[in-house]
């Protein structure tokens, strides 16, 4: 007899398999052109079995966004609480550069980002999930920027929410562009993200009265 833990593991594993199959299908054909039957075929399961896990394509893409949000949150929580905003961006950039196939945040990300954003722009079920995910990521970064400003590490005139929003939007913009423009390679994005953060979050320059007179 299967234990409750084993049943839960099998259920989660099957859901993960469906999400992986759907990601491949969406990457090939796009969200709207992909049918549930195509996802069933890719996942090697019957429609009846698939519908026990997801009632509609909307539910699949919502789960994808939620799962990615949890992965990002888990990553951000590994950064020490007293780390600076630049340290946080460095940790994210380093994680994106690492080759860990079991949790590859960049694998297929450019095309899927375009699909998710397009769907969020017109689907009232998907939009709040995507927006909530952005708000969580922005809040994490803005909190570090706010702490840096309070400690005098960066200018107090910086708007933490605006700068955090800009950095995250720039990352998404580069990622989305890499889906259609070979001049922007996904492998180069982490370094660009570091450079952008450092240019926006330069440490304060403390001038003495003598230096000011010069």
């Amino acid at each position: 007899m299967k234990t409750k833990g084993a049943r839960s593991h099998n259920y989660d594993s099957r859901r993960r398999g469906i999400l992986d199959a759907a990601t491949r299908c969406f990457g090939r054909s796009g969200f709207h052109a992909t049918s549930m039957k195509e996802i069933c075929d890719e996942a090697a399961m019957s429609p009846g079995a698939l519908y026990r896990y997801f009632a509609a394509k909307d539910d699949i893409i919502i789960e994808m966004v939620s799962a990615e949000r949890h992965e990002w949150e888990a990553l951000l929580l590994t950064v020490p609480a007293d780390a600076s905003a630049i340290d946080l961006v460095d940790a994210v950039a380093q994680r994106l550069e690492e080759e860990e196939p079991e949790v590859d945040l960049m694998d297929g990300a450019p095309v899927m980002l375009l699909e998710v954003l397009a769907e969020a722009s017109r689907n009232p079920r998907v939009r709040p999930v995507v927006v909530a995910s952005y708000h969580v990521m922005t809040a994490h970064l803005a909190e570090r920027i706010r702490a840096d400003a309070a400690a005098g590490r960066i200018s107090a005139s910086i708007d933490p929410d605006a700068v955090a929003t800009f950095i995250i939007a720039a990352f998404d913009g580069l990622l989305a562009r890499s889906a259609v423009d070979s001049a922007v390679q996904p492998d180069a994005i982490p370094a660009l993200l570091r450079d952008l953060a450092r240019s926006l979050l330069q440490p304060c320059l403390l001038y003495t009265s003598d230096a000011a007179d010069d």
Side-chain angles (χ1 to χ4, degrees):
M1 179 181 295
K2 290 184 178 179
T3 65
K4 182 178 179 181
R7 289 196 297 272
S8 176
H9 175 75
N10 288 341
Y11 180 83
D12 291 343
S13 179
R14 294 300 295 275
R15 281 177 68 88
R16 182 69 258 173
I18 294 169
L19 293 175
D20 290 343
T23 297
R24 293 191 294 272
C25 292
F26 296 158
R28 286 195 303 263
S29 307
F31 182 74
H32 280 280
T34 297
S35 67
M36 289 294 271
K37 181 182 183 305
E38 184 179 349
I39 297 172
C40 290
D41 292 343
E42 186 74 24
M45 63 170 45
S46 68
L50 185 143
Y51 281 110
R52 285 201 295 269
Y53 297 91
F54 298 100
K57 281 195 295 180
D58 283 6
D59 297 314
I60 293 176
I61 203 164
I62 286 170
E63 180 66 19
M64 286 177 172
V65 173
S66 298
E68 184 181 41
R69 168 182 163 179
H70 293 150
E71 289 177 357
W72 279 107
E73 284 186 294
L75 169 59
L76 294 175
L77 289 173
T78 65
V79 182
D82 60 348
S84 70
I86 290 180
D87 290 335
L88 179 67
V89 173
D90 277 340
V92 170
Q94 182 178 351
R95 179 62 184 81
L96 294 175
E97 290 168 339
E98 293 173 355
E99 294 183 1
E100 295 185 25
E102 66 275 13
V103 187
D104 189 347
L105 294 171
M106 296 290 275
D107 184 28
V111 171
M112 283 308 303
L113 174 63
L114 292 177
E115 288 295 324
V116 168
L117 291 179
E119 190 60 23
S121 71
R122 57 186 171 236
N123 189 324
R125 289 194 64 215
V126 174
R127 184 182 305 116
V129 181
V130 173
V131 171
S133 181
Y134 275 128
H135 285 179
V136 167
M137 301 303 106
T138 302
H140 270 282
L141 181 54
E143 181 182 358
R144 304 301 178 105
I145 296 172
R146 196 169 284 111
D148 286 346
R153 290 190 289 265
I154 59 176
S155 172
S157 65
I158 283 179
D159 182 333
D161 296 310
V163 173
T165 297
F166 182 77
I167 291 173
I168 292 170
F171 171 71
D172 269 4
L174 287 167
L175 198 60
R177 182 168 171 179
S178 73
V180 296
D181 183 357
S182 61
V184 180
Q185 291 294 318
D187 290 348
I189 292 176
L192 292 171
L193 187 62
R194 282 193 184 97
D195 290 344
L196 174 64
R198 287 180 178 135
S199 68
L200 292 171
L201 301 171
Q202 287 288 340
C204 285
L205 296 177
L206 302 179
Y207 294 97
T208 65
S209 58
D210 291 341
D213 292 337
D214 293 340

